[in-house]
Amino acid sequence: MSLSRSFAAAAALLCAAGAARAQPYDPRFRWRTIQTPHFRIHFHQGEEALAQVVARETERAHALLAPRLAFEPRRRTEVVLSDDSDDANGSATPLPYDTIRLYAVPPSSGSVLQDYRDWLRQVVQHEYAHILHLDRAGGVPEAVNRVFGKLWVPNVFLPPFFVEGVAVVNEAEGDAAAGRNASALFDMYARTLALDGPFPRLDQASNPYLEWPVGNVPYLLGGRFMGYLQARYGPEAIAGWIAAQARYVWPYAPSWAGEDWFGGLGFAQLWSEYAAAERAYAEGQRARVRERPVTRPAPVTRRGGIVENPRFSPDGEFLLFHGRSLDDRPGVFRVSPDGGDVRRVAGVDANGTLALRSPSEALVAIGEVWREYRLYDDLWLVDLRSGRRRRVTDGERATDPDVSADGRTAVYVRRTGAGEMALVRRDLASGAAGPIFARAGAQVFMPRLSRDGAVAFELHEGGRRDVAVWRDGRVARVTDDDALDTAPAWTPDGRFLLFASDRGGIYNLYAWEVATGGLRQVTNVETGAFQPEVSPDGKTLAFVTYGRAGYDLATIPLDEATWLEPSAAPPAPPAMADGAAAPLASRPYSPWATVTPTLWLPLYSSNGRDSIFGAFTGGADVLLRHLWAFQAWWDTRGTALGSGEPGYAFAYQGGWSWPRLDLSSSMAIAASPGPPDRLQRVSNYANAGLTFTWTRLARQLALRVGWSGTRYESVTSPAFPLDPVPEAIRFEDGFLSDLSLGAAYSDARRFVRSISPEEGRLLTVRLRVAEPEIGSDYSLARARAAIAQYVRIPFTRHGVLALRLSGGLAKGSVGGDAPFELGGVAGGVDVASLVPGAFPSSSSDQLRGYPAGALAGTGLVAANAELRFPLAGLRAGRSTWPVFLSRLHGALFLDAGDAFDRPGELPFAGHGFEWEQLRFSTGAELRTEFVLGYYLRTDLRVGVAKPLGALLGGGRAADRAAGIDAGTTFYVTVGPSF
C-alpha cells in the first residue's frame, strides 16, 4: 500500500466519529457540558432542563445495565443532546470513543417506538446497551487496543440484528408492558411474518431486508430472538456470549462464541427453533381472534409499505392519505372509496400527517431541512389539483393538523423544545395562533376537532397513553388504563369518539359513546386496525389495516349492530417516581477532552529496495467541530538522499462554521511529474477550501472554493542527464499555485427495491486554474463537467434508462501527461460506492470495449446510455456469513466518446474535435448486488463489450489507423457504472 493510500485508509477510521451524523450540528448552537461519574452530557441552549434529566437517566442506565451485561467502560461515555430534528432517534458508537447521540423529541404517534413509559429513559437505555455491548474487547483484540488505542472492537462486526437485538431486549429494564419487545405493533409484524411468510431465514435477517418491514427487521427479529434466548438461557448467557465474542480475532462466526452459552447449539439451529416458536405463538393468537366474528374489510389500496392518516373529503368523493411504498416516491395520494383512481397529488418526503380544508386543498405537515442544519416539521397548504404548496408555519415544528368543518380553524401539535409539546389553535385566515393545552412532561398527538369545538387527542402522561378531550379549557380523559389508545376520530354526528387501542394484545378500533361513556369494540381483526375515519354521511368507516406487504386502507360499514364487547384493558400503572433532584453543575463545552488522539497506527511501504516507515494518528471532538488526521514518516529512498528524508501529511475539517473549512498540508519525496526523471521534494504548503452547502431531503447542492500551493524541488540529479528532453514537456522545479471551484448537485432517487437510481440527476462541475497572476510558476487550466439523468421506464418494475454526458477542456500539461484519458473498464473497486450516505457521484468516464486509457487528449467528450432491468431476487447467503447475494440485474449499453487536441496544445490525439472521430461501443453487463459485512452494498459487474469504431467516420478502420488494438472484451469490476 502506498503512503498516500494508507493515509486515506487510516483517515477513514477517524471518519467513524461522524458516520452516524452526515450533517454537522448547527454552528449557531452554544454548548455546555455536565459531567457525571460515568458520562459527559453535552447540550446546547434551550436544553438545560432536559440535559439534567439525561444526566440522571444515563447514570440510572449504567447502574441497571452494567451489572446485567457484566461490563463497565474504562472511560466516560460522551452523550450529545441536540434538538435539531423532529424525528425521534438516537445512535451509539464505540469509535473513536464511546458516544451516544440523542434527539430531544418524543416519538410520533405511529412510531414503532411509541410503547414506552418514559421515552427518554427508553432511548437512553437502548443506546447505552449498545455501548456496553460494542465497546467490549478481550484476548488479542484487547491486547492490540492497549498498544494502538481503540481500534479493534469485534462486536461491531456482528450482523445488525444481533447488535440491535441486544439493545432492544435491554431497553425497557425488563418491563413486560413497554419497549419494542412488548409492542403490539412489533407483535403484529412478527405474527404476520410467521403466518403469511415466508419467515426470514437467518442469512436474510442478517443482511439488508428488501421486503416489508424493511429496516425494522434488525430491531423486530433481533429483539425477539434475543428475548427468546434470554427467556430460555437467562440474561447471564447473553452477557457471557458477548464477552466470548469480544475475544474472537475472526468476528464473523458468532456461533463459535455462542455454543458455550446456548446449550451447545449454533445460531442456525437456534434460529430454526425460534422461528417455530413464533409460528406457534402466532397461530395461538389467530385462534383466539377467531373465537369471535372476524372483521373482513373491503380493501381500498394495495400499496403496502406505509399508508397513514386517511381523511375523507368533505363531499365524501375520495380519501386522502400519505403513502410511502417500497417502489416509488412518498407523497400525498387520493383514492376513491371503492379503491379506484389512485394518484399522487403532491410529493412529501417526511411526516405527511394531514387534514382536508376543502375538496381541493389540504393542510399537510411536511418535514424538511430548515436553515441547513435542522430537520423540522411545518404546516403547508397544498393544492390538490396542481400540487403547489403554500407555507403556513416557518420553523414552528408543527405537526398532526386537523381543520374545522368550515375550514377556518386548525388545531395541531407544536414541539416547543426540550422534549415538550403543546396543542395549538390557529386562525388560518389571519395566522393568529396560540396554545390551548400544554403541561410539563405531557406529550400530545393527533388532535381532532368536533363540530362543537371540542378537541380529542392522545395524551401520554404518567407512563401511559390515553385518549383525552379538551373542551372550554378543561381536559378530561376518555380512557384511563395501561393500553395504548391512539388516533381518535369523531363521528360526524358527534355521538361517538372512535380510536385504536392495543388492549387485548392486537390493535383494534373502539367506539366511546359521548353521552353514556360506554365503550364498544368496532373491529376484530387478525393483524391490526388503526386510524379510523368516518365518511361525511356516517355510513362508512375507513381505517388503516395491515398485511404481509405492509399497511393499506380498507373500509367497513359503520354498523353498531356488529360491534362487540370490548377486550379488557390492563389497569393503569402506578404513578412513576418523581425524578426531581438538585441540578448538576455545567461548564462551557471544551473540545480538548475528546479531540485528542484515540489511536495510532504504524505504517510501512517498500519498493523492494527502499522503505518508508511512518505512523498515523488523528482525532475528532464529539461535536464534530474539529476532525484531524496526521501522518509522519521517514523515507529511505536511494543513497542520494543520504540518511533519508522526512515526510508528513496533515488534514483538518471544521464543522463549526458555514461554509465548512477544510485544510491539508503535506511533504513527501516523489518521482518528478515529468522528465527529466529524478526524485523531488513535493511540499504542499496548503490545500484549503470552503464548502457551501444547500441541503434538502430530496436534493443536495455543494460548492467548494479552494486554493492549493505546492513547491517542487529536486533532491536527486536526473537519472539520465544526457538524454534530451523536449522543452514542451520538460518539468522544472517551481511553485504551483492554483485556484479551484467544484460543484455537485443531486436529486437522484432510488427506492427500496430499486436496482439503480430511477429518477432525477447528478451534476458535477470542476474548474482549476494556475497562472503567474496568482503566483504560479506553471500555467494550467482544467474544466470538467458531467451530468447523469435517470428515467424510470413506464409500465416496468424498476426498469431504468440511465444517460450520462461528460466533457472536459484543458490548457497546458504537467510533464507531457495527457490531461484526459478515455477507455474501458480498468477493474478494481469503487470505494466510494461502499460508503453509506456518501454524496452520490456521477462516476468516471468510460468507453467500454476499448483498452483503459486508449484515447488521450486535452479535450474530452463522452456519452453513455444504459437500459437497466431487474432479473431476479437472489437473497442468498449462508447462516451469518458476511457475504450475501441480494439481487441480479442486467444492463444493455451504448457508449460513445473521444479525446481530442485543443489548438495550440500538445498533440496527444493527433486531431481536433471532429464528429467523424467519435468512437462507439456496445455491450451488456450482468450485475449482482451483494452485501459485504452486513452493511456494505455494491454491484459486482460482469460485462462483455464490443468496440464499433468511428461509426460516423472510418468505422473500425479508424481504430487500426490510430494503432488501437481493440476487440470484444470481457471484464469484471466492482462498483456502479454511473
Side-chain angles (χ1 to χ4, degrees):
M1 177 183 287
S2 70
L3 262 294
S4 61
R5 289 186 179 180
S6 66
F7 181 71
L13 295 173
L14 175 63
C15 291
R21 188 176 179 90
Q23 191 77 345
Y25 293 105
D26 193 330
R28 290 167 291 195
F29 284 159
R30 301 184 303 276
W31 296 86
R32 296 186 66 83
T33 300
I34 296 172
Q35 184 165 296
T36 71
H38 301 97
F39 300 88
R40 270 191 292 260
I41 318 299
H42 311 282
F43 63 95
H44 57 79
Q45 70 272 24
E47 303 306 300
E48 292 83 358
L50 192 61
Q52 295 286 338
V53 179
V54 170
R56 296 194 297 271
E57 289 297 335
T58 51
E59 286 295 339
R60 185 179 185 278
H62 177 82
L64 175 74
L65 297 178
R68 186 181 182 89
L69 295 176
F71 177 71
E72 184 165 328
R74 288 191 174 91
R75 59 174 286 178
R76 286 183 174 89
T77 298
E78 310 294 332
V79 180
V80 181
L81 175 67
S82 64
D83 196 14
D84 50 1
S85 174
D86 285 339
D87 183 17
N89 210 335
S91 66
T93 177
L95 295 172
Y97 39 77
D98 293 339
T99 305
I100 293 173
R101 302 185 189 276
L102 304 174
Y103 296 140
V105 58
S108 63
S109 170
S111 170
V112 296
L113 302 173
Q114 65 169 235
D115 200 341
Y116 57 81
R117 296 295 185 203
D118 180 291
W119 67 272
L120 188 60
R121 176 172 297 176
Q122 185 160 309
V123 72
V124 164
Q125 291 182 177
H126 181 98
E127 302 306 338
Y128 192 55
H130 277 319
I131 296 298
L132 297 176
H133 177 199
L134 302 179
D135 186 44
R136 193 158 192 171
V140 173
E142 182 182 28
V144 170
N145 290 344
R146 287 186 180 276
V147 176
F148 298 109
K150 187 182 285 189
L151 178 67
W152 195 344
V153 279
N155 283 325
V156 166
F157 298 96
L158 286 169
F161 87 92
F162 279 128
V163 174
E164 296 301 340
V166 169
V168 167
V169 84
N170 285 287
E171 70 186 12
E173 57 184 321
D175 185 347
R180 277 168 281 198
N181 269 2
S183 166
L185 283 180
F186 264 31
D187 195 71
M188 176 183 72
Y189 289 177
R191 180 169 67 255
T192 306
L193 283 173
L195 294 176
D196 299 337
F199 197 82
R201 304 187 311 266
L202 180 57
D203 61 308
Q204 294 174 327
S206 299
N207 289 278
Y209 197 67
L210 301 182
E211 301 297 331
W212 185 262
V214 210
N216 278 313
V217 165
Y219 304 87
L220 169 68
L221 299 184
R224 293 173 76 91
F225 181 53
M226 283 294 148
Y228 171 81
L229 294 181
Q230 182 170 281
R232 185 169 174 179
Y233 300 102
E236 62 278 0
I238 304 289
W241 166 66
I242 289 172
Q245 175 70 20
R247 294 193 294 269
Y248 272 83
V249 173
W250 176 254
Y252 294 113
S255 284
W256 296 350
E259 287 176 354
D260 291 339
W261 296 94
F262 302 127
L265 303 179
F267 281 118
Q269 184 173 347
L270 289 168
W271 185 264
S272 178
E273 294 176 1
Y274 156 69
E278 283 283 16
R279 292 187 188 97
Y281 171 70
E283 288 168 356
Q285 284 186 301
R286 182 170 61 184
R288 285 191 293 274
V289 171
R290 291 179 176 180
E291 291 173 358
R292 300 199 294 175
V294 177
T295 304
R296 306 292 182 187
V300 176
T301 66
R302 291 180 172 86
R303 291 176 51 83
I306 296 291
V307 170
E308 57 189 351
N309 306 120
R311 295 290 186 269
F312 268 106
S313 62
D315 55 12
E317 292 297 314
F318 64 88
L319 279 157
L320 201 69
F321 65 92
H322 181 252
R324 178 186 294 272
S325 79
L326 308 187
D327 298 302
D328 58 10
R329 282 188 296 142
V332 174
F333 294 78
R334 59 172 290 168
V335 61
S336 61
D338 62 2
D341 190 31
V342 182
R343 64 179 185 269
R344 180 189 296 107
V345 297
V348 175
D349 290 295
N351 198 332
T353 54
L354 54 87
L356 273 160
R357 190 183 188 191
S358 71
S360 61
E361 191 175 49
L363 183 65
V364 184
I366 299 176
E368 186 54 275
V369 176
W370 190 76
R371 297 187 180 177
E372 189 58 29
Y373 295 97
R374 312 185 195 187
L375 178 59
Y376 283 170
D377 296 332
D378 270 305
L379 299 183
W380 298 73
L381 284 170
V382 177
D383 189 308
L384 301 182
R385 294 160 297 193
S386 66
R388 295 190 183 95
R389 61 180 69 175
R390 177 165 55 91
R391 182 181 285 278
V392 175
T393 67
D394 189 359
E396 190 174 328
R397 310 179 69 178
T399 186
D400 295 358
D402 194 34
V403 179
S404 60
D406 60 12
R408 297 178 180 177
T409 303
V411 292
Y412 55 91
V413 172
R414 177 193 292 166
R415 296 185 178 94
T416 56
E420 299 296 330
M421 309 171 79
L423 283 180
V424 176
R425 182 167 52 193
R426 172 181 289 266
D427 185 296
L428 291 175
S430 68
I436 59 173
F437 172 76
R439 195 152 57 205
Q443 292 105 54
V444 293
F445 309 93
M446 304 295 284
R448 297 297 299 270
L449 271 164
S450 70
R451 291 187 178 273
D452 64 358
V455 180
F457 62 98
E458 298 174 28
L459 174 62
H460 198 116
E461 191 175 33
R464 68 184 192 274
R465 183 168 303 200
D466 294 314
V467 170
V469 173
W470 176 95
R471 189 186 300 273
D472 299 326
R474 292 177 295 178
V475 172
R477 292 180 185 269
V478 170
T479 61
D480 189 7
D481 50 51
D482 200 25
L484 282 174
D485 302 324
T486 67
W490 302 95
T491 56
D493 58 11
R495 283 186 60 206
F496 295 100
L497 182 63
L498 305 179
F499 61 92
S501 175
D502 70 347
R503 61 191 65 207
I506 294 177
Y507 269 100
N508 272 291
L509 303 184
Y510 293 82
W512 175 73
E513 190 169 19
V514 176
T516 66
L519 187 67
R520 302 293 302 280
Q521 183 172 335
V522 178
T523 65
N524 182 44
V525 297
E526 295 177 355
T527 55
F530 310 87
Q531 297 182 345
E533 170 74 359
V534 182
S535 61
D537 62 8
K539 296 180 179 180
T540 302
L541 173 62
F543 59 96
V544 174
T545 187
Y546 186 79
R548 179 64 182 84
Y551 293 94
D552 270 298
L553 291 186
T555 60
I556 57 173
L558 187 63
D559 181 3
E560 296 179 49
T562 64
W563 296 357
L564 306 171
E565 288 303 309
S567 298
M576 296 184 66
D578 185 4
L584 301 171
S586 68
R587 64 175 186 273
Y589 169 78
S590 171
W592 293 111
T594 52
V595 79
T596 52
T598 58
L599 60 85
W600 73 279
L601 286 171
L603 301 173
Y604 173 76
S605 180
S606 175
N607 61 9
R609 182 186 64 183
D610 307 304
S611 299
I612 302 175
F613 302 91
F616 164 87
T617 190
D621 78 308
V622 72
L623 296 184
L624 308 179
R625 291 188 162 198
H626 310 283
L627 293 87
W628 63 275
F630 181 74
Q631 178 177 310
W633 61 84
W634 192 261
D635 190 336
T636 66
R637 198 177 319 177
T639 56
L641 296 179
S643 61
E645 283 273 336
Y648 75 91
F650 171 77
Y652 171 83
Q653 181 174 302
W656 41 267
S657 67
W658 189 93
R660 278 177 276 174
L661 169 69
D662 63 88
L663 178 67
S664 63
S665 178
S666 63
M667 183 180 71
I669 300 301
S672 169
D677 296 333
R678 75 276 195 193
L679 293 178
Q680 289 188 304
R681 181 183 298 109
V682 182
S683 303
N684 178 235
Y685 299 137
N687 185 353
L690 294 173
T691 300
F692 302 80
T693 56
W694 295 269
T695 307
R696 293 292 182 267
L697 288 181
R699 62 186 185 275
Q700 307 168 66
L701 173 62
L703 176 68
R704 183 185 183 274
V705 180
W707 175 83
S708 180
T710 305
R711 181 163 296 281
Y712 297 88
E713 301 173 277
S714 296
V715 296
T716 64
S717 300
F720 305 99
L722 300 180
D723 289 350
V725 178
E727 188 65 29
I729 63 172
R730 175 182 290 275
F731 186 80
E732 303 284 358
D733 289 357
F735 183 69
L736 175 64
S737 170
D738 68 86
L739 296 173
S740 61
L741 175 66
Y745 171 81
S746 174
D747 61 6
R749 302 177 74 123
R750 63 182 298 166
F751 312 107
V752 173
R753 290 195 278 236
S754 300
I755 59 171
S756 114
E758 293 190 5
E759 58 184 53
R761 65 207 55 80
L762 303 174
L763 174 64
T764 58
V765 178
R766 297 193 298 273
L767 305 173
R768 177 188 174 194
V769 177
E771 295 290 351
E773 289 78 4
I774 57 174
S776 179
D777 295 328
Y778 310 93
S779 180
L780 299 169
R782 303 282 186 271
R784 191 162 189 169
I787 183 170
Q789 179 74 43
Y790 306 95
V791 181
R792 186 167 183 172
I793 301 173
F795 310 112
T796 69
R797 190 171 177 83
H798 301 293
V800 179
L801 178 62
L803 305 169
R804 183 177 186 271
L805 179 65
S806 66
L809 297 173
K811 169 191 170 185
S813 171
V814 178
D817 290 334
F820 302 116
E821 292 184 344
L822 182 63
V825 176
V829 178
D830 182 355
V831 177
S833 72
L834 299 174
V835 180
F839 193 93
S841 166
S842 56
S843 197
S844 59
D845 305 304
Q846 54 188 344
L847 185 61
R848 287 162 283 194
Y850 284 84
L855 305 173
T858 51
L860 173 76
V861 62
N864 312 94
E866 289 190 357
L867 180 62
R868 301 171 178 173
F869 44 89
L871 293 173
L874 299 176
R875 299 177 180 84
R878 181 175 176 82
S879 184
T880 57
W881 288 16
V883 179
F884 183 77
L885 301 181
S886 181
R887 288 177 289 190
L888 192 68
H889 50 106
L892 303 176
F893 65 80
L894 178 67
D895 295 343
D898 188 33
F900 55 89
D901 300 326
R902 293 186 63 246
E905 299 297 323
L906 291 174
F908 297 103
H911 62 85
F913 176 75
E914 301 171 5
W915 290 105
E916 293 79 3
Q917 292 289 344
L918 281 177
R919 264 58 174 194
F920 290 80
S921 67
T922 188
E925 290 184 353
L926 186 64
R927 300 169 176 177
T928 300
E929 181 182 278
F930 69 99
V931 184
L932 289 175
Y934 318 115
Y935 296 95
L936 305 179
R937 298 168 59 180
T938 190
D939 291 335
L940 173 68
R941 297 159 47 204
V942 179
V944 57
K946 179 179 177 59
L948 303 176
L951 290 182
L952 305 180
R956 293 303 307 279
D959 291 344
R960 292 189 290 272
I964 300 174
D965 182 15
T968 300
T969 303
F970 295 89
Y971 57 89
V972 178
T973 189
V974 175
S977 54
F978 63 90

